Amino acid sequence: MRTRSTDCSLPLALLVTLWTCGPDVDGIPLSCRLRNTSKTGSLILTPFTRPEVYVPDVVSLLSHLQWTTITVLHDTDSEELVDAILFLAVEKLRGVRYLIHNVEHMMEVISDVHTLLQSLHATLFPRPFFLLIGRPAFILDTMSLVSSHDGQSNRTTDYRHLSRWLLVTDLDRQFLDSMINNMGDLENVAAIYKSDTVSSSEVENIPTNNSINIITYSRSCPPDFIKVKITPPVIKGRPLLHAVYPNTKYGYNNRTLVVSTLMYAPFTMRRQDRGHVIYEGYCFEVLNVLAKDLNFSVQLVEPDDGEWGLLVDGKWTGLIGQLEQRDVDMVVAPLTIHEDRERVMDFLLPPFYTENVDILYKFEDVSESDIFVTMKPFKIMVLVCLAAAVVVVFIFIFFTEQCSQYLAHESRNTDKRTPKSPIVPQSSTLMSSFYAVICFGDDPVEELHLIFWRVFGSVFKQGDPWISHTTPGRILMTSWWLLTVVLAAGYSAYLVAILAVDIRVKPFRTLQDVVDSPDYTIGIMSTGIIKLIFEKSNQDDFKGAWQKVVNANKTDPRVLAGTESEHLQHVLGGKFCWIVDVTTAEKAQATDCALETVGVRLNGQNLALAAPTNSPLKPALEDTMSAIADSGLLEKWWKQWQKPRTPDMCPAPPDVRHIILNDVMGPVYIALGGVALAGLFLVLELLTHRVHLLQTGTQTNKTPT
C-alpha cells in the first residue's frame, strides 16, 4: 500500500537524494515515474572502486536509531573492523546489549545457519536488529539465507517484516543489483557508504556536524536502492526510522496472509455476485480493518473437512487443526476461547464478542394438544403431597375425635370402667389403651369413613358444615380449611389465566428441567465447542444433559448431528431441545415464531480470532484489535449484522381467547371416570349384600326347630 501525499516539505534535518515527493500520477508515485525515465530504469550510483567505510558513521547512525540490542554478524576478514566499531560503540552508547557471531564458518553447513537464525529470532523478538559486516560475497550469501528462512520456519519467524539490517561493506552498482535478487522479501535493509567530510584521523569521535550517507532499500516503487543523506540536527523517532527504512511506513507492504474461515452467520457468510464469491459478515468487518491498518492482503481458504475442530486420536481437525499444523497465518471465525484449544494455538486478544449458550425448542400449544390443561397449575409432586396431606389430616382428626370422646367417657366413669364397645379387652397395656381409643364408640368404622370424606371433600368444597365435637378437632379442621382455601385460590387464578388468556408457559426453567423431562430429547452439534464443554464439565446438570445425549444417540444419531440445518429440522419436529449459542438461536427465532428459548445462560464464552502458537504476527494484530475494541466499532458492526426477532415479526396473541372443547375435556373424563368407579362400587355393594342374604338364609335353614 502506498500513501498518497501532496506535501513535499521535509524537515531540514533530512535531505533525500533522488527521492522525489509528489502526488501519484496514474497510480504511480512521481518518484517511480521519474526513475523509470532513465535508460537503466534504476538508481545511478556514483561509481567508486572501494569506498572507505568509517566507524564513526556506523556508531553515529546506531546512536540515532536507538537500538537497545545490536546483533553483529560478520565474516573472518572483518574482525578488526568489528572490534573498532564495538570499541567506540561501547564507549559512546549506553544501555545497549551486543550479540556477536562470526557466521562465515557456518556457511559450510546451511542447517547451522538456520538454527542460529531461529534462535536469534526467538531471543530478539519482536526487534531483531542486525549489523551485518563483511565482504560483498559474504553479505549476499547471508542475506540469501535470511530471506529464505521464513519459508523454512513454518510460520515461527518473520525476518521479512520485523528485522532491520544495517550493512557495512564495499558498495557498487553490481552489488546493489545482486542484493535486490538475493534479499528476497526482506523489507528493511540499508547500507552506509563513504562520508562526505570525515577523515580517517577522526575515527575516535562520533561526527556531530557532518552528514551520514546511506543507501536504503525501497519497495514502494519497483524495488531498488535509493540514496539518503542524514544531516544535523538529526531527527529522531519515526521520521528517522522512515528515512532509513522507508518500507516501515507501509505496514506489511501488501503481504499476502493465508486466512482460514468457516461459514457461521452472522459472523462469517459467503454469497455469489455475478460469478464472484463475496465474503461478508461481522468477522470480515474486523478483518478488513486489520488488513487496511497493517497493509496486508488476504488469501481466504476453508478447512477441507468443514469442521471447527475436534480432538481425534491426539490431533485436531478443522480450523484448530490448521492452526496446530501451522498451515495458515490466521483464522477469522467466531472461535470460542477454551483451555484445550489454547494448548495448540493462540487467540488474538481482546475477544471481539461474548457468546452465551441457551436451549432452543418449539413451543407446544397447550390448547391444541393437551386435554388435561386443567391439571397444569399443579406439578405432579404438588398433587402427591396434597394426597399425602389428606391422608395424614384425616387420620389425625379421627384419632383426635376418638381420643377426646374416650377420655370424656373415662372421666364420667371413674368408679367403674365400662367401655361401650364389648370388643375392647380389659388390659392396662399401652397397646390395649390405643386399641380402646380407636374402637371406642357405637360404630368407629362408620366414623372413620365420614371423617375421610369430610377432609377429602373440603379440598374441593373449600369448607364443610360439619363441626367437630372436640376443641382439638375444630382447631385442626380450621387449619386444614385455611390451607385448602389458599390452594384453591391459587389453582383458580392460574386456571383462569390459562383458559382465558393465551399465554406461553415455558415447559422448562432450567437445564435440569430439560434433563428431567421424559418427553424431550437433547441435541448438541458434534463439531463445535459446546460438545467439548458438556463432555468435560463437572457440573451435575451438564453431566446429566451429556449423558442424556449419549443415551439418545444410540437410537437417534440426529442428536449429535454436525450441521445447524439438521438440528433445526429436529427442533421444528417438536419434543427436541437444542443446546446452542444464543446468536444461532436468535437467528432461528427470526424465521419461525414457534421457536422459543428457555432463557438461561449456561456458559458465557468469549469469541476471538486466532493465530498459530507464537506467531510473529500476533503483537501487531493484537495492537490493532485493541484499537478496534476501544473505538466502538464492534458494537456498530454487531447491530449491522445481527438481526434478532422483533415484535412485529410475531404478532402478540389476543388478550382474551375462547374456551374450546379440549379445555374442559379433562374434567369431563375425570367425571366419567368417577361415574364408572361409583357404578363399580355399587355393583360390589349389591353383590356383597346378596352374598350376605344367602349366608343368612343358609344359617336360618340349619337352625333346629
Side-chain angles (χ1 to χ4, degrees):
M1 178 182 292
R2 286 189 291 268
T3 58
R4 189 183 187 94
S5 174
T6 57
D7 182 8
C8 293
S9 62
L10 291 174
L12 294 178
L14 180 62
L15 172 62
V16 180
T17 305
L18 208 61
W19 179 253
T20 306
C21 175
D24 292 358
V25 178
D26 298 328
I28 302 176
L30 182 58
S31 58
C32 295
R33 184 172 62 84
L34 294 177
R35 179 178 302 176
N36 291 334
T37 59
S38 63
K39 294 181 180 180
T40 60
S42 61
L43 171 64
I44 301 175
L45 185 65
T46 303
F48 39 88
T49 56
R50 183 176 178 79
E52 185 176 7
V53 178
Y54 289 95
V55 172
D57 285 354
V58 176
V59 179
S60 178
L61 184 57
L62 292 175
S63 173
H64 300 323
L65 290 174
Q66 298 180 345
W67 290 358
T68 57
T69 299
I70 301 174
T71 302
V72 181
L73 304 181
H74 66 90
D75 60 3
T76 304
D77 294 343
S78 304
E79 289 183 349
E80 292 184 5
L81 179 58
V82 171
D83 291 341
I85 293 175
L86 291 178
F87 180 81
L88 186 60
V90 170
E91 180 183 353
K92 301 300 182 180
L93 304 181
R94 303 299 181 184
V96 178
R97 184 173 62 139
Y98 300 89
L99 302 176
I100 307 167
H101 297 274
N102 184 341
V103 297
E104 185 175 21
H105 67 281
M106 296 183 180
M107 293 298 183
E108 297 179 358
V109 183
I110 302 302
S111 60
D112 291 346
V113 180
H114 286 295
T115 301
L116 175 63
L117 291 174
Q118 190 73 28
S119 175
L120 288 175
H121 193 282
T123 302
L124 302 173
F125 180 83
R127 297 178 178 86
F129 300 159
F130 295 88
L131 180 62
L132 185 58
I133 306 174
R135 294 171 286 104
F138 168 76
I139 298 290
L140 292 174
D141 291 341
T142 303
M143 298 306 290
S144 178
L145 289 174
V146 173
S147 65
S148 65
H149 183 76
D150 287 345
Q152 302 180 29
S153 68
N154 199 18
R155 291 185 168 87
T156 59
T157 62
D158 189 11
Y159 278 105
R160 168 181 176 172
H161 175 70
L162 296 178
S163 66
R164 295 171 191 168
W165 297 86
L166 185 59
L167 311 182
V168 180
T169 188
D170 301 334
L171 300 177
D172 58 24
R173 181 68 256 178
Q174 182 180 0
F175 171 79
L176 296 182
D177 291 339
S178 299
M179 275 294 297
I180 293 175
N181 296 327
N182 282 41
M183 63 190 295
D185 292 325
L186 293 176
E187 300 173 2
N188 305 309
V189 180
I192 294 182
Y193 71 98
K194 185 177 181 296
S195 179
D196 287 345
T197 58
V198 175
S199 63
S200 58
S201 61
E202 298 174 335
V203 168
E204 295 181 356
N205 299 308
I206 298 178
T208 57
N209 298 316
N210 302 299
S211 61
I212 303 173
N213 298 287
I214 66 172
I215 295 176
T216 186
Y217 179 65
S218 174
R219 293 168 55 94
S220 60
C221 300
D224 202 351
F225 282 86
I226 60 176
K227 289 182 180 180
V228 175
K229 180 182 294 185
I230 300 176
T231 58
V234 178
I235 58 175
K236 297 181 180 180
R238 191 169 294 274
L240 176 63
L241 174 65
H242 291 168
V244 180
Y245 300 107
N247 297 320
T248 57
K249 292 186 292 185
Y250 309 113
Y252 283 103
N253 288 275
N254 201 30
R255 174 176 171 182
T256 299
L257 301 184
V258 180
V259 177
S260 187
T261 187
L262 201 59
M263 298 305 101
Y264 201 74
F267 296 99
T268 51
M269 296 177 287
R270 181 182 56 234
R271 61 181 175 86
Q272 295 284 341
D273 185 13
R274 300 178 182 178
H276 298 284
V277 178
I278 305 297
Y279 288 89
E280 60 186 8
Y282 180 78
C283 285
F284 289 112
E285 297 283 2
V286 178
L287 178 60
N288 290 338
V289 172
L290 288 173
K292 183 177 181 180
D293 183 68
L294 299 176
N295 188 22
F296 63 82
S297 57
V298 173
Q299 176 188 349
L300 284 171
V301 298
E302 298 183 29
D304 295 334
D305 54 16
E307 294 184 354
W308 293 92
L310 293 175
L311 190 58
V312 180
D313 298 330
K315 293 185 178 181
W316 288 86
T317 62
L319 293 174
I320 310 302
Q322 289 181 311
L323 292 171
E324 180 185 30
Q325 299 164 22
R326 313 187 78 89
D327 293 334
V328 297
D329 295 299
M330 182 181 175
V331 165
V332 174
L335 288 180
T336 301
I337 298 177
H338 192 272
E339 58 182 5
D340 288 353
R341 291 177 169 179
E342 287 182 308
R343 296 189 182 101
V344 297
M345 53 173 276
D346 286 340
F347 288 98
L348 301 180
L349 303 177
F352 59 79
Y353 187 71
T354 299
E355 185 64 276
N356 288 289
V357 177
D358 208 330
I359 304 172
L360 183 70
Y361 66 97
K362 182 182 179 182
F363 174 73
E364 304 289 344
D365 194 343
V366 175
S367 64
E368 296 180 359
S369 59
D370 194 351
I371 62 173
F372 294 102
V373 63
T374 53
M375 303 300 293
K376 290 294 183 181
F378 289 151
K379 287 192 173 183
I380 298 299
M381 183 55 65
V382 176
L383 296 177
V384 171
C385 292
L386 183 60
V390 169
V391 175
V392 172
V393 169
F394 107 80
I395 290 176
F396 269 50
I397 292 179
F398 172 73
F399 183 77
T400 301
E401 287 292 302
Q402 290 294 98
C403 185
S404 297
Q405 294 183 34
Y406 178 78
L407 293 177
H409 174 75
E410 286 294 301
S411 63
R412 290 194 300 267
N413 297 276
T414 55
D415 296 334
K416 184 178 181 180
R417 306 179 65 88
T418 55
K420 292 186 177 181
S421 176
I423 62 175
V424 177
Q426 300 295 324
S427 174
S428 60
T429 64
L430 180 62
M431 195 65 186
S432 299
S433 300
F434 177 78
Y435 186 75
V437 171
I438 295 300
C439 298
F440 182 80
D442 297 329
D443 194 348
V445 175
E446 179 66 20
E447 186 71 14
L448 181 69
H449 288 172
L450 290 176
I451 292 177
F452 171 76
W453 288 111
R454 285 165 180 162
V455 172
F456 182 72
S458 64
V459 175
F460 304 97
K461 294 175 60 179
Q462 301 179 30
D464 188 272
W466 175 76
I467 299 178
S468 174
H469 299 290
T470 65
T471 299
R474 293 172 183 175
I475 295 175
L476 192 56
M477 281 301 296
T478 301
S479 302
W480 174 246
W481 288 338
L482 178 62
L483 174 62
T484 57
V485 167
V486 173
L487 290 175
Y491 174 85
S492 300
Y494 203 92
L495 186 62
V496 168
I498 292 177
L499 295 178
V501 181
D502 188 9
I503 59 174
R504 294 194 169 190
V505 180
K506 293 184 176 182
F508 319 108
R509 293 184 180 273
T510 64
L511 175 61
Q512 191 61 47
D513 291 344
V514 180
V515 175
D516 296 337
S517 175
D519 299 328
Y520 280 79
T521 307
I522 300 177
I524 297 176
M525 283 189 64
S526 62
T527 58
I529 190 65
I530 297 178
K531 175 179 178 292
L532 182 63
I533 293 173
F534 275 76
E535 190 175 13
K536 295 193 173 185
S537 176
N538 292 322
Q539 293 182 223
D540 292 338
D541 52 350
F542 278 46
K543 291 193 293 185
W546 177 247
Q547 189 59 46
K548 189 169 184 177
V549 171
V550 172
N551 295 336
N553 187 55
K554 298 176 182 178
T555 56
D556 186 3
R558 294 182 300 170
V559 298
L560 283 175
T563 63
E564 293 182 28
S565 57
E566 292 178 89
H567 280 288
L568 187 56
Q569 289 300 320
H570 205 169
V571 172
L572 293 174
K575 302 297 182 182
F576 183 79
C577 291
W578 181 17
I579 299 179
V580 66
D581 59 89
V582 172
T583 301
T584 302
E586 290 179 348
K587 181 178 64 177
Q589 287 181 288
T591 62
D592 195 315
C593 295
L595 298 178
E596 294 288 346
T597 57
V598 175
V600 296
R601 294 295 182 262
L602 300 179
N603 191 274
Q605 295 289 334
N606 290 322
L607 306 183
L609 309 183
T613 304
N614 298 325
S615 170
L617 304 174
K618 182 180 178 182
L621 292 172
E622 288 193 330
D623 287 345
T624 304
M625 281 298 304
S626 297
I628 293 174
D630 294 339
S631 67
L633 287 173
L634 294 176
E635 292 77 7
K636 174 185 175 182
W637 293 333
W638 184 250
K639 292 178 181 179
Q640 174 184 346
W641 290 104
Q642 175 65 346
K643 297 177 174 57
R645 185 167 69 191
T646 56
D648 58 324
M649 293 181 181
C650 300
D655 294 337
V656 180
R657 71 177 182 90
H658 299 288
I659 297 178
I660 60 178
L661 182 61
N662 275 357
D663 292 339
V664 296
M665 286 306 297
V668 170
Y669 289 150
I670 294 176
L672 293 177
V675 171
L677 187 62
L680 177 61
F681 273 92
L682 178 61
V683 172
L684 291 177
E685 288 183 358
L686 292 175
L687 292 177
T688 303
H689 181 68
R690 182 63 179 172
V691 171
H692 177 70
L693 290 178
L694 291 176
Q695 291 178 348
T696 303
T698 302
Q699 292 178 359
T700 302
N701 293 334
K702 291 182 178 181
T703 302
T705 56

